[in-house]
Amino acid sequence: MEHEESPRRPVSISVPSRKDPLLRQLTESVGGPLGRHAAPGRVRPAIFTVERVLILMTTAAALLAVLVKVPCRTDGWARPEQFYRACYSDWTEAFRFQGIGSGLSPFAEGSAFDGPLLVGVVAGLTALLVPTSADGIVQTQSVVQYFDVNAVVIAAAWLGTVVATMRLASRRPWDAAIVAVAPIAVLTATSSWVLLSVLLSILAVRAFARHHYAVAGILLGFGAGFSVHVVLVLAAVVLLAARTGRFRGALVTAGALAAVWIITVLPFGPSQALALPWEYDPPHLGISSSVWGAYNLLADRLGLPPMPPGAVGVAGSVGFVVLAALIVLLVLRAPRRPRLPQVIFLLIGALVLIIPDYGPELSLWLLPFLALSYVDWRILLVWQVAEVLHWWAHWMFAAREASAGAVANNIDPLYVALAVLARLLVTGYLMYRVAQHILEPEYDPVRTLGIDDPAGGPFDGASDRIHHARVGLRASAQDPPIPAPKDPQ
């Protein structure tokens, strides 16, 4: 009797060195792209599986991220040197100046720590692993040890983010390499606790994709304790539930998230349990790399009236509402239901574009969802160049504004504004390309492989409750609907 084929049979995976023109050229020095007769995914790869290679890449990047901070680990985190040497970290600022290094809990009376709830929890727990001083004099060695402990925590979060992204990518596992080796991740991973919120957001999507809706909501609830942007994952789920009519997963996820939030509100209060990303600025540098900050820099140079903080807050809120409304319209009116990572990327991207108090590390929010939404290594390289230039300009300007740095070392505000605008333009272009793939799904890099939405959970392979004519540049209103096959894995 013929053996019945397993529903989880091996399938071929997409190989970037075959598909991407830039990677085809770069692989020439190591033997060229994989041959057309090879069948990756169907043949056992022995020791070096895709996952193990990605773990090695992430480990190397995490070590490099620590090496970036070596000048400060050697000579101390002093101003303005920590800015000029590009080794500033929220961890050491909180340990030295917000009471943590003196043995004071982030939630104790008299503590100067003003970060989000779970950031305070992590900051306090990691402080238990290093010696603190009760006399208010923080020892240099303790600062270095505190940095190292948090670096280990962040490296673990980075590894978890990469593995979760790879497992959500289905037949495109190598796309997770973007998260593993992105230069902006190397430069900013050890500057803050941002990667912890990134990990919780992608783990929540992973749980949702496996139909563990309550677990997804719990993870999102804890993620909101780091940064409220994580709630945008739930917003994307609700939008796709409206598109497909499958509301059960969205309702259970929302209920679990609300339960976690209520439990954290009771002992700590709403101001800490729901953390707005622009409310946390540990060093109080008084600078921002947002579009509003760029405007104020240019206004000062051109003699125009600057925007006061109240006006910036209102403009940021209105700007996000407008962008979110356009994204909602796109999701509901697209010719075919978008994939969940695409919607999440657009929503978080909208926040990144208009957030009033933006710092270079917040681009990490985008990484896993960009990897699952759009992969063109040439465009991604341009994006990373823009992010790195912006990162450099941000800290050079911080040295000037917060530390009275030497005039010879300072950067002209005009170049800071140009770096911010370059970042905004490239990020906006990435959002445009993802939106283009939503309008023209036949060019979506995932759906061209014959699968639908590997990260979509109940939406994977679901039929649309809302049907619309195509609005893409190469389509007409008479185009037949595109079938939605489920992920074969």
Side-chain angles (χ1 to χ4, degrees):
M1 185 169 123
E2 187 178 352
H3 179 65
E4 203 170 33
E5 191 173 31
S6 167
R8 293 182 62 85
R9 64 190 184 279
V11 294
S12 296
I13 63 174
S14 177
V15 181
S17 65
R18 287 177 176 172
K19 307 276 186 180
D20 191 271
L22 176 63
L23 294 184
R24 283 185 65 90
Q25 296 177 9
L26 294 179
T27 55
E28 290 296 335
S29 60
V30 290
L34 195 66
R36 62 188 180 90
H37 296 292
R42 295 179 178 273
V43 180
R44 288 184 65 86
I47 297 176
F48 292 106
T49 63
V50 176
E51 182 171 322
R52 290 170 184 168
V53 171
L54 288 173
I55 288 174
L56 290 173
M57 293 169 65
T58 309
T59 303
L63 291 173
L64 187 58
V66 173
L67 290 176
V68 169
K69 302 296 192 289
V70 163
C72 285
R73 290 182 78 258
T74 303
D75 299 327
W77 278 268
R79 298 185 179 187
E81 287 78 10
Q82 64 173 337
F83 301 129
Y84 289 131
R85 296 175 177 179
C87 52
Y88 165 85
S89 177
D90 285 355
W91 310 337
T92 58
E93 294 288 313
F95 192 79
R96 293 189 300 163
F97 302 123
Q98 297 185 3
I100 295 177
S102 300
L104 195 62
S105 167
F107 308 110
E109 186 177 353
S111 171
F113 189 86
D114 61 352
L117 171 63
L118 289 186
V119 171
V121 171
V122 173
L125 290 177
T126 51
L128 297 176
L129 302 177
V130 301
T132 56
S133 174
D135 59 8
I137 301 176
V138 180
Q139 300 298 320
T140 302
Q141 188 59 33
S142 296
V143 177
V144 174
Q145 291 176 7
Y146 187 71
F147 173 86
D148 292 343
V149 168
N150 280 284
V152 172
V153 172
I154 288 300
W158 197 346
L159 285 167
T161 301
V162 170
V163 172
T165 304
M166 185 212 71
R167 294 184 178 179
L168 283 169
S170 184
R171 293 174 60 187
R172 297 184 60 93
W174 287 111
D175 292 350
I178 299 168
V179 187
V181 297
I184 194 62
V186 172
L187 295 173
T188 64
T190 54
S191 297
S192 70
W193 287 282
V194 165
L195 267 175
L196 293 175
S197 66
V198 175
L199 172 65
L200 288 169
S201 65
I202 196 66
L203 287 180
V205 175
R206 170 72 174 162
F208 188 84
R210 295 172 64 85
H211 304 276
H212 302 319
Y213 308 130
V215 175
I218 291 170
L219 291 168
L220 290 178
F222 283 120
F226 286 98
S227 173
V228 76
H229 89 277
V230 175
V231 180
L232 294 176
V233 173
L234 177 62
V237 167
V238 171
L239 281 175
L240 291 181
R243 179 75 193 246
T244 62
R246 298 188 175 186
F247 286 99
R248 178 177 171 271
L251 291 174
V252 173
T253 302
L257 187 156
V260 171
W261 187 74
I262 290 172
I263 291 171
T264 54
V265 163
L266 292 177
F268 294 102
S271 62
Q272 285 188 310
L274 190 61
L276 296 176
W278 47 80
E279 290 182 346
Y280 185 44
D281 184 18
H284 302 291
L285 297 175
I287 64 170
S288 171
S289 285
S290 66
V291 61
W292 321 108
Y295 168 80
N296 280 342
L297 289 177
L298 292 176
D300 181 64
R301 191 178 186 90
L302 299 175
L304 301 174
M307 292 184 68
V312 169
V314 171
S317 300
V318 172
F320 179 71
V321 169
V322 170
L323 290 176
L326 293 174
I327 294 168
V328 170
L329 184 64
L330 173 67
V331 172
L332 297 181
R333 298 293 299 175
R336 178 176 174 182
R337 166 187 41 81
R339 293 187 291 110
L340 180 58
Q342 292 175 318
V343 183
I344 297 172
F345 172 75
L346 290 178
L347 288 172
I348 296 179
L351 185 61
V352 165
L353 287 180
I354 60 86
I355 189 172
D357 189 12
Y358 182 85
E361 69 278 0
L362 299 189
S363 63
L364 300 180
W365 291 350
L366 296 172
L367 273 177
F369 303 109
L370 176 60
L372 296 171
S373 301
Y374 174 78
V375 177
D376 182 326
W377 285 88
R378 292 171 299 182
I379 304 301
L380 293 175
L381 181 61
V382 173
W383 177 54
Q384 285 300 290
V385 169
E387 289 286 355
V388 170
L389 289 175
H390 164 255
W391 164 84
W392 173 80
H394 177 91
W395 291 119
M396 292 303 101
F397 191 61
R400 165 182 166 146
E401 295 296 300
S403 304
V407 175
N409 297 331
N410 287 339
I411 185 174
D412 190 287
L414 175 62
Y415 297 114
V416 180
L418 292 176
V420 172
L421 293 176
R423 175 189 67 82
L424 292 170
L425 288 173
V426 179
T427 303
Y429 180 74
L430 286 171
M431 293 175 64
Y432 162 75
R433 292 303 301 268
V434 172
Q436 190 177 45
H437 287 162
I438 290 175
L439 293 174
E440 302 179 81
E442 63 270 26
Y443 298 101
D444 185 329
V446 172
R447 283 174 165 163
T448 55
L449 297 176
I451 54 181
D452 183 44
D453 187 359
F459 310 131
D460 185 24
S463 57
D464 276 332
R465 190 179 68 170
I466 303 173
H467 294 284
H468 299 292
R470 288 178 178 267
V471 293
L473 298 177
R474 301 177 182 83
S476 67
Q478 287 75 36
D479 286 338
I482 303 174
K486 294 189 70 173
D487 180 9
Q489 300 191 75

